[in-house]
Amino acid sequence: MLLRIPSLLLAASFAAQTASALYFYIDGSSPKCFFEDLPKDTLVVGQYKAEEFQAATNSYSDNNELALLITVDETFDNDHRVVNNKGSNRGRFTFTAGDSGEHRICFWASHQVNAGWFSAHPNGVRLHLDMAIGETSEIESRDKDKLADIVQRVKDLSGRLQDIRREQVFQREREAEFRDQSESTNGRVVRWTLLQLVVLGATCAWQLSHLRAFFIKQKLT
């Protein structure tokens, strides 16, 4: 089934720069597709959640075995495929329009079983889609807030590392100063010891000379 978002609604979404939320149904193996006319370099961010119909409760609920295939084709370029994402029952997809023109966005629903992807088709799926178009969209704004928080944490961590490095440099300077003082003190102690030895040696030599002269004088007398 093909859906086309009205141009007036699309223009309003660009003017307000907000994300548009909607939901639709996928039956069996038939994909649900819609078209978007996108200018070149336009960022599209989508978040989705799929719920499967449960006959027992006659309601839609989460099913972890549910899988989705999301494709985006450039209809103006011989259906050139720019997105081919396989994911679980909830997730996110992003792409940037490489050229201006009409893009077809399609969703397939299936079950993840041992036989491989998309080997069993559910009876009914309700898909909630929150899609934002444009760089100043609400979804991207939330991502920028998260990124800004991460950047701030990195800056704080970098500041702490700089403080640690400065403390290490200060400690090394203190150690170098203490080492210089220790070497200077040890040098003075060695010089004073040598001086004492010289004085002691000179004193001993003087005493020996004096005693020798005394004994010689006593012998002559």
Side-chain angles (χ1 to χ4, degrees), residues 114-181:
N114 295 332
W117 283 81
F118 301 100
S119 56
H121 300 284
N123 294 326
V125 173
R126 181 170 62 188
L127 182 64
H128 298 264
L129 179 62
D130 185 7
M131 192 168 67
I133 302 174
E135 293 184 349
T136 56
S137 63
E138 179 182 349
I139 294 180
E140 188 185 6
S141 177
R142 291 196 295 265
D143 292 342
K144 287 182 178 180
D145 292 340
K146 293 179 181 178
L147 181 60
D149 182 61
I150 294 175
V151 170
Q152 185 60 43
R153 292 183 182 180
V154 171
K155 289 182 178 179
D156 293 341
L157 181 59
S158 178
R160 293 178 183 177
L161 290 176
Q162 292 295 333
D163 293 339
I164 293 174
R165 289 175 181 173
R166 285 193 291 269
E167 182 66 23
Q168 290 176 341
V169 171
F170 176 73
Q171 291 296 336
R172 285 196 294 266
E173 292 177 351
R174 289 286 300 274
E175 291 175 0
E177 182 180 354
F178 178 76
R179 184 172 59 252
D180 293 339
Q181 291 179 352

Side-chain angles (χ1 to χ4, degrees), residues 20-36:
S20 58
L22 54 94
Y23 70 90
F24 48 85
Y25 297 92
I26 303 176
D27 296 323
S29 59
S30 300
K32 182 77 69 173
C33 301
F34 61 91
F35 294 86
E36 283 281 3

Side-chain angles (χ1 to χ4, degrees), residues 19-91:
S20 58
L22 54 94
Y23 70 90
F24 48 85
Y25 297 92
I26 303 176
D27 296 323
S29 59
S30 300
K32 182 77 69 173
C33 301
F34 61 91
F35 294 86
E36 283 281 3
D37 286 320
L38 300 175
K40 183 179 179 180
D41 296 329
T42 298
L43 175 66
V44 178
V45 182
Q47 292 181 336
Y48 62 88
K49 181 183 73 171
E51 299 173 322
E52 186 176 0
F53 180 76
Q54 305 294 334
T57 60
N58 195 30
S59 62
Y60 290 88
S61 61
D62 289 339
N63 184 355
N64 293 331
E65 295 182 355
L66 194 61
L68 284 182
L69 171 64
I70 303 170
T71 62
V72 179
D73 300 320
E74 296 176 339
T75 59
F76 58 89
D77 190 16
N78 295 323
D79 290 336
H80 173 244
R81 181 154 293 178
V82 295
V83 175
N84 187 50
N85 286 347
K86 295 178 180 179
S88 60
N89 63 326
R90 63 178 63 205

